[in-house]
Amino acid sequence: MSLRRKQQGGDNSMQADVTLDWDVYLLAGVGSTRAIFTECVKELQRRYKEAGRSSSIRELFPYGDHTQNFFHQLLRVRKDLYRFRRAVQSGARAVAGQVREFSAGKPVLFIGHSGGGVAAYQAAVMLHKEGIIPDWRVIQVGSPKMPIETEYMSKVHYVVAVNDKGDCADFITRIGSWGGISRNRYGIWYWNRVKYAPRHIIPIPLMGGHQHYFRKEAPYIHPERGSNLIVMIDTIWERVARELCLAASTMM
């Protein structure tokens, strides 16, 4: 079904159709189990099926999984985070290799948890500059802060867990920095802590913290909002799908 025909059905169907034209990659952080995204994949596939389409979703472990040396994985993430390093490091290269094989020529949505969000951004920028993917978006979920190039700020969504009081509930998001030196209107230089921040910073209320974004069982179920997983998928579906819809309409 074409995008133009889907538009006649209203905003919701149009958003779903555009989102399904993008390949999806789920990127895990350090020490993750192989089951971290199992329920997330099922929920995304369920929504795609309801929209009458199939989906291309792949799970990647750019720094390894829980069976490998945890501290070695941390060092690899640290190298990818280092703001002055020009060379793309191993985590991003591993992701880029998979995307080249399966998604060359297609727009890609990367969803990276923790260190996976670091590798996702690095790989997306590299692949786009090489002309491998025509467009991309990155959702960094509970990731360390890393400087985002100005031209790509609108392509990055940063999701952080907060408690019912609105306070940050994810300690990993306190690592790293978006800061840089700026000059105010009086010509005075100062440290701007959000100079290189992504355009979209999305706090979402969750039960628990860093390890619990994609959980759907008790005790990670709110009596009104539902499970953490549903809150996460709703955020992706409603916030990012809308943006992808607008991006596609400008290319028509």
Side-chain angles (χ1 to χ4, degrees):
M1 185 176 293
S2 70
L3 173 62
R4 200 174 297 278
R5 288 200 298 271
K6 289 291 279 188
Q7 284 179 325
Q8 297 173 0
D11 289 341
N12 290 335
S13 59
M14 179 172 64
Q15 290 172 23
D17 185 62
V18 173
T19 304
L20 292 173
D21 290 337
W22 291 52
D23 281 1
V24 179
Y25 285 82
L26 299 169
L27 280 63
V30 301
S32 298
T33 69
R34 289 283 168 174
I36 182 174
F37 295 127
T38 298
E39 296 302 326
C40 180
V41 171
K42 289 179 181 178
E43 179 63 23
L44 286 171
Q45 289 175 335
R46 183 187 68 79
R47 297 193 185 204
Y48 290 167
K49 185 177 181 180
E50 288 181 352
R53 298 287 295 275
S54 60
S55 58
S56 176
I57 306 173
R58 295 181 175 88
E59 303 171 57
L60 302 180
F61 294 76
Y63 302 104
D65 60 20
H66 70 289
T67 65
Q68 299 171 351
N69 187 283
F70 180 77
F71 295 102
H72 179 66
Q73 293 180 57
L74 284 178
L75 289 175
R76 293 172 65 193
V77 175
R78 183 176 180 274
K79 289 180 178 179
D80 276 354
L81 267 175
Y82 186 46
R83 64 188 303 143
F84 299 114
R85 185 180 296 275
R86 293 182 179 272
V88 176
Q89 297 303 302
S90 59
R93 288 201 303 269
V95 174
Q98 292 293 304
V99 176
R100 286 192 188 96
E101 180 177 355
F102 296 107
S103 303
K106 301 178 183 178
V108 176
L109 173 62
F110 299 90
I111 304 172
H113 176 246
S114 193
V118 175
Y121 172 74
Q122 298 273 25
V125 170
M126 176 175 61
L127 291 164
H128 186 65
K129 288 181 176 179
E130 293 176 0
I132 303 298
I133 54 177
D135 200 1
W136 57 273
R137 295 295 185 278
V138 167
I139 304 175
Q140 295 181 315
V141 181
S143 296
K145 295 181 177 69
M146 63 182 303
I148 307 299
E149 295 182 45
T150 303
E151 62 184 301
Y152 301 129
M153 288 177 177
S154 63
K155 293 181 179 292
V156 180
H157 294 70
Y158 187 85
V159 175
V160 55
V162 297
N163 59 28
D164 287 336
K165 296 181 180 180
D167 299 325
C168 177
D170 186 346
F171 66 96
I172 294 296
T173 61
R174 302 181 187 276
I175 299 173
S177 173
W178 294 322
I181 300 296
S182 295
R183 182 180 292 180
N184 65 20
R185 60 178 178 172
Y186 302 109
I188 299 173
W189 295 99
Y190 72 101
W191 179 255
N192 180 353
R193 63 186 183 86
V194 294
K195 182 174 183 177
Y196 299 108
R199 184 73 50 81
H200 312 282
I201 300 174
I202 309 172
I204 60 172
L206 294 182
M207 308 293 289
H210 181 70
Q211 299 177 333
H212 308 129
Y213 286 93
F214 301 99
R215 303 293 288 271
K216 65 173 294 184
E217 74 283 2
Y220 308 107
I221 303 175
H222 189 274
E224 297 176 359
R225 297 188 297 264
S227 70
N228 286 359
L229 175 65
I230 294 302
V231 174
M232 271 297 308
I233 300 300
D234 283 348
T235 300
I236 293 170
W237 206 256
E238 296 168 6
R239 298 287 295 269
V240 183
R242 186 182 303 276
E243 182 184 337
L244 299 188
C245 173
L246 294 174
S249 66
T250 62
M251 299 171 62
M252 294 175 57

